[in-house]
Amino acid sequence: MQVATACSIALVGAEGHLIDVQVAVSKGVVGTFVVGRPDASLHEARDRVRMAINNCAPTPDDTWPATFRVTILLAPADLPKSGTHFDLAIAVGVRAACGAVPAASLHATVFIGELSLSGSLRPVTGVLPMVIAAAARGIRRVFVPETQAAEAAMVPGMEVLGMRSLAQVVAELNGEEVPDAAPVAGPVRTSLLPPGRGAVEPLDLDDLDGMEDAKYALEVAAAGGHHLMLNGPRGAGKTSLAERLPTILPDLTTQQALEVTALHSLAGLLRDGDGLVHRPPYFAPHHDASKASVVGGGTGRVRPGGISRAHHGVLFLDEFPLFRADVVDALRQPLESGEITLARGEESATFPARSMVVLAANPCPCGNFSASVTTACTCLEPARHAYRRKLVGPIVDRIDIWRDVEPVSAEAAHDRFAPRVDSATVRSRVERARAAQAERYAGRSWLLNGVVPGPVLAREWPLELDGQRLLDDRLRDGSLTRRGVTRVQRVAWTVADLRGVPRPGPSEVGLALRLRTAEPLSSDDLRMAG
């Protein structure tokens, strides 16, 4: 009997830590002891692994060492461990400690998978971020459940061995012929798309009549990664605009695709056979959604919420004033920093949350009030005030672009000569603007205007003097806060990138101010946009 070490991965939020699963089989008080801050699922692993080894044993000598003391240390011992994916590493470590597997065969290898009592390997959530973490630490071989081999193989340069059972893993480590095993069906996974979405015709900006200023606001938001607020009566087209925002966003880069797919793996959204998520994700939680659903959390392991699942994509919060106060307050951090930190007891997890947040609100609870159209609004003024109370304060100050959306008139809806533009055309303009930003910020930790730190933007990429004076005047009269000035500067740079000018001047700053303050755009603004 000896000490053997197998490696697995512990996930803390989206970050993976390499864990040494050290197993010692020795004389002493008979029993199995798991140490190193394990949770309940890891204490239960003792029984799962014991029965899996016994049921896979080819001879009686290969069963669990029932007359010895088995000590399992999960190192580093000060890091909390949770999850059933440690089962395979524990089982392999026990077999190596008993001499049934060469200890050298475990070197530079990570083992991930849950064991059933029969010894079959079952899929687990978070395989992709675990394999990414293993690759970052120099690991080049990983054992995973067969149904998740394709997910693990998304990481470049990784040798992935998809196995169906513990017996197959032991045979592979011993250099023996791998025995056949019945395939194990994975758990039912939630689709990334809403039910039936796959059969629906793709959305396009060309589907929408009128709303030229709102469409341009969408284009600016997409080009610079800016947060957007849409305000207007029900039926005006706010949801239709938000649903089409992903259609004008460029495809994700390889690095972005890995980040998004890893987050979806953590959330249990990947189906067996799914590849990398190449298109920006879109999530639209109901206004009755809990804080854990929107920003992350939950019982047991902390899971990413909607704002992280929409990383590099769009999070649409319709009927924003109806969201719970704790949800609204929790949005402050991700809107500003692009990540969300969730603390619960001694555990703290950080998830990326660099999504474009689109808020939508009606002017009153019934949604019928409109300043330009005679409607049947029955709300009293106090009710309107209470409904819109959440549209003030620190959250909305973090929104870059505001647009009032009014219903399209019947004449405009049937105007066959009105200018129209499809999503592909707008997406090409967005891609050119983003390419200009990537060149400007080469070597920096950010890629888009919407996330450039304000002091850095003012110091290294200042506006033209006349444009800066416009902002200084607004700051002096109190119509803009310091944060508001920074956000107008960011939008002005995006407008300049879309127009192809090297530096924002008074025209670009004036347009950015109108986008920020929901002032109507002029025909000249829209003409220059196209």
Side-chain angles (χ1 to χ4, degrees):
M1 301 296 180
Q2 57 183 336
V3 176
T5 300
C7 291
S8 192
I9 300 291
L11 288 175
V12 180
E15 183 181 1
H17 299 267
L18 192 64
I19 301 299
D20 287 338
V21 180
Q22 301 176 5
V23 179
V25 178
S26 60
K27 295 181 179 179
V29 177
V30 176
T32 302
F33 305 90
V34 182
V35 295
R37 297 193 68 180
D39 72 346
S41 63
L42 273 167
H43 282 297
E44 293 172 354
R46 295 174 299 184
D47 298 318
R48 290 195 301 270
V49 173
R50 181 189 300 111
M51 293 307 301
I53 289 177
N54 288 340
N55 289 327
C56 287
T59 67
D61 293 336
D62 293 316
T63 56
W64 181 270
T67 59
F68 291 87
R69 176 189 178 95
V70 180
T71 305
I72 302 167
L73 169 63
L74 307 175
D78 62 338
L79 187 73
K81 324 293 189 309
S82 65
T84 59
H85 64 278
F86 287 100
D87 287 6
L88 182 58
I90 293 173
V92 170
V94 171
R95 302 309 296 133
C98 293
V101 170
S105 66
L106 310 185
H107 179 68
T109 303
V110 159
F111 299 88
I112 301 170
E114 176 188 330
L115 287 172
S116 69
L117 298 185
S118 65
S120 61
L121 273 177
R122 298 182 58 81
V124 294
T125 59
V127 164
L128 182 56
M130 292 182 201
V131 178
I132 291 174
R137 287 154 180 80
I139 304 295
R140 289 294 174 263
R141 186 171 72 154
V142 59
F143 284 81
V144 298
E146 184 184 53
T147 56
Q148 295 181 296
E151 180 181 341
M154 296 178 192
V155 180
M158 182 65 69
E159 179 188 358
V160 178
L161 292 91
M163 297 290 167
R164 296 181 179 178
S165 68
L166 175 61
Q168 288 188 334
V169 175
V170 171
E172 179 68 31
L173 293 174
N174 284 324
E176 302 170 352
E177 182 179 354
V178 176
D180 292 332
V184 178
V188 177
R189 306 272 177 170
T190 305
S191 171
L192 292 176
L193 296 176
R197 170 62 64 84
V200 177
E201 289 295 323
L203 302 175
D204 197 285
L205 275 182
D206 191 37
D207 303 334
L208 303 181
D209 298 314
M211 297 189 291
E212 298 306 318
D213 60 343
K215 290 179 182 177
Y216 179 63
L218 231 63
E219 181 177 344
V220 175
H226 303 288
H227 303 309
L228 175 66
M229 175 73 197
L230 299 174
N231 181 53
R234 62 174 183 167
K238 303 184 295 296
T239 301
S240 297
L241 286 164
E243 288 177 337
R244 285 158 178 78
L245 181 53
T247 69
I248 63 175
L249 293 176
D251 287 340
L252 301 177
T253 65
T254 301
Q255 180 60 37
Q256 290 172 338
L258 276 172
E259 292 175 7
V260 172
T261 309
L263 286 166
H264 289 178
S265 175
L266 274 173
L269 295 177
L270 288 186
R271 298 169 297 181
D272 296 336
D274 281 343
L276 283 175
V277 179
H278 288 290
R279 289 296 301 155
Y282 173 84
F283 281 89
H286 189 264
H287 58 75
D288 196 35
S290 66
K291 177 181 173 182
S293 173
V294 177
V295 300
T299 57
R301 178 185 295 176
V302 177
R303 293 181 180 272
I307 198 166
S308 294
R309 299 175 194 177
H311 186 52
H312 294 309
V314 178
L315 176 69
F316 178 46
L317 302 180
D318 198 7
E319 296 284 0
F320 178 69
L322 296 182
F323 276 83
R324 291 164 37 176
D326 60 338
V327 174
V328 174
D329 188 61
L331 290 174
R332 294 189 190 189
Q333 180 194 7
L335 282 175
E336 192 70 36
S337 65
E339 61 181 22
I340 180 72
T341 299
L342 306 169
R344 187 173 55 195
E346 297 182 1
E347 184 179 1
S348 178
T350 299
F351 297 102
R354 186 64 70 188
S355 57
M356 292 174 55
V357 177
V358 180
L359 309 180
N362 295 330
C364 64
C366 75
N368 290 324
F369 182 81
S370 173
S372 60
V373 181
T374 302
T375 58
C377 176
T378 58
C379 301
L380 299 176
E381 186 57 35
R384 290 186 197 138
H385 176 74
Y387 177 79
R388 298 181 62 81
R389 190 165 47 198
K390 291 180 183 176
L391 299 184
V392 296
I395 291 297
V396 295
D397 201 30
R398 289 169 166 82
I399 302 300
D400 302 337
I401 298 173
W402 285 66
R403 279 296 90 192
D404 289 331
V405 183
E406 292 294 335
V408 178
S409 65
E411 294 77 9
H414 295 90
D415 186 359
R416 292 182 295 175
F417 301 101
R420 305 187 74 89
V421 62
D422 59 15
S423 291
T425 301
V426 176
R427 185 166 60 248
S428 65
R429 298 201 293 253
V430 169
E431 289 171 347
R432 287 195 297 270
R434 289 197 170 196
Q437 295 167 64
E439 181 179 354
R440 181 163 60 246
Y441 305 132
R444 305 294 183 122
S445 61
W446 55 82
L447 297 175
L448 298 176
N449 294 325
V451 298
V452 180
V456 177
L457 186 66
R459 181 178 64 250
E460 300 189 25
W461 296 283
L463 307 175
E464 289 186 5
L465 187 57
D466 290 343
Q468 186 62 49
R469 287 197 184 103
L470 291 176
L471 297 185
D472 292 341
D473 291 342
R474 293 296 188 100
L475 183 62
R476 277 192 294 268
D477 66 23
S479 58
L480 278 181
T481 63
R482 286 284 182 185
R483 181 183 285 119
V485 168
T486 296
R487 295 192 177 274
V488 173
Q489 290 174 326
R490 292 169 176 169
V491 174
W493 269 105
T494 302
V495 172
D497 291 331
L498 285 169
R499 291 180 171 181
V501 299
R503 188 178 174 191
S507 176
E508 288 74 32
V509 174
L511 177 52
L513 274 169
R514 289 190 287 278
L515 288 170
R516 167 75 179 177
T517 57
E519 297 175 31
L521 303 184
S522 67
S523 57
D524 289 339
D525 292 333
L526 298 175
R527 177 173 51 80
M528 294 182 68

